């Protein structure tokens, strides 16, 4: 459904992105922030799914600044490679690229941002530090608990798995207590429960979270 395009960030850096279009008149736009595995087949399928729901969707290749064309899977070697790439990435650079994707959607209506894994953290930071987003959704955003002092500029929904060892559930509850305006949901699932290519995939949790996310988008984007 989608295709690869090229965008230019405010600092002049040119990078690739995946863009998916709805069949009819768009309800709005959605920026999808990737996991640590690049704009791979799973991220593209997520984009295609939101496009079928009526949104113009762009997933910026947030690793292009460090290595172009990153598209990896979920083996132990892939995870190690993804972690190494994420270690090179800076939040400021990621936000520049997210902002460029947001701007590319400015003519389709209101724009939201959703992210998964590292992208969940990027979505949270986008909500807090960037203007122009009507809403944001973060899935098991690694690093969000370390950015608990940030204040979002738009309505935020966040999904977490109670069995996620990397994001302790007590920390999630503390995060929720400090951000009562953020809709925080905790599922009986592990990290990465939305990804059907991972062993931690949980179909029921993924479906419930997606339904809630779409409701969030319908409310704030159209």
């Amino acid at each position: 459904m989608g295709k690869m395009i090229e965008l230019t960030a405010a600092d002049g850096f040119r990078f690739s992105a995946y863009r998916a279009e709805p069949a009819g008149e768009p309800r709005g736009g959605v920026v999808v922030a990737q996991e640590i595995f690049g704009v791979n087949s799973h991220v593209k399928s997520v984009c295609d799914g939101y496009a079928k729901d009526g949104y113009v969707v762009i997933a910026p290749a947030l690793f292009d600044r460090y290595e172009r064309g990153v598209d990896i899977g979920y083996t132990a070697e892939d995870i190690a490679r993804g972690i190494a790439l994420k270690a090179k990435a800076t939040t400021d650079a990621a936000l520049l690229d997210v902002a460029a994707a947001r701007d590319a959607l400015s003519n389709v209506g209101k724009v939201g941002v959703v992210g998964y894994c590292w992208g969940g953290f990027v979505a949270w930071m986008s909500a807090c530090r960037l203007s122009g987003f009507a809403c944001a959704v973060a899935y098991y955003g690694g690093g969000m608990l370390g950015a608990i002092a940030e204040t979002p500029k738009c309505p935020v929904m966040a999904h977490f798995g109670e069995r996620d060892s990397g994001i302790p559930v007590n920390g999630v509850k503390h995060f929720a207590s400090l951000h009562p305006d953020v809709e925080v949901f905790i599922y009986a699932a592990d990290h990465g429960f939305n990804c059907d290519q991972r062993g931690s995939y949980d179909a029921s949790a993924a479906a419930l979270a997606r339904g809630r996310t779409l409701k969030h988008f319908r409310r704030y984007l159209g």
Side-chain angles (χ1 to χ4, degrees), residues 141-154:
M144 284 179 65
L145 302 188
I148 202 167
E150 298 280 341
T151 302
K153 303 174 184 289
C154 65

Side-chain angles (χ1 to χ4, degrees), residues 137-141 157-161 183 185 187 193 209 212-213:
V137 180
Y139 277 75
Y140 32 85
M157 176 178 286
H159 306 291
F160 296 95
E183 288 190 90
F185 297 101
Y187 303 80
F193 66 78
R212 287 167 169 164
T213 296

Side-chain angles (χ1 to χ4, degrees), residues 145 148 169-182 184:
L145 302 188
I148 202 167
V169 69
N170 286 339
V172 172
K173 291 177 179 178
H174 179 59
F175 176 93
S177 71
L178 293 181
H179 292 282
D181 292 336
V182 176
V184 177

Side-chain angles (χ1 to χ4, degrees), residues 51-138:
K52 288 178 181 177
D53 292 315
Y55 301 98
V56 182
V57 189
I58 294 180
L62 301 179
F63 283 162
D64 267 13
R65 290 176 180 269
Y66 319 101
E67 181 180 331
R68 292 188 179 271
V70 175
D71 178 350
I72 56 180
Y74 299 91
T75 67
E77 289 182 356
D78 290 332
I79 292 171
R81 183 180 171 198
I83 290 172
L85 283 163
K86 186 178 83 73
K88 297 178 181 179
T90 69
T91 300
D92 287 346
L95 294 185
L96 281 172
D97 298 343
V98 167
R102 175 205 62 201
D103 293 347
L105 293 168
S106 62
N107 64 336
V108 303
K110 296 178 181 178
V111 181
V113 58
V114 59
Y116 303 80
C117 182
W118 174 56
F121 166 73
V122 172
W124 169 247
M125 297 302 286
S126 297
C128 296
R129 296 189 180 182
L130 297 178
S131 59
F133 282 114
C135 65
V137 180

Side-chain angles (χ1 to χ4, degrees), residues 6 46 123 134 146 211:
E6 188 174 80
V46 167

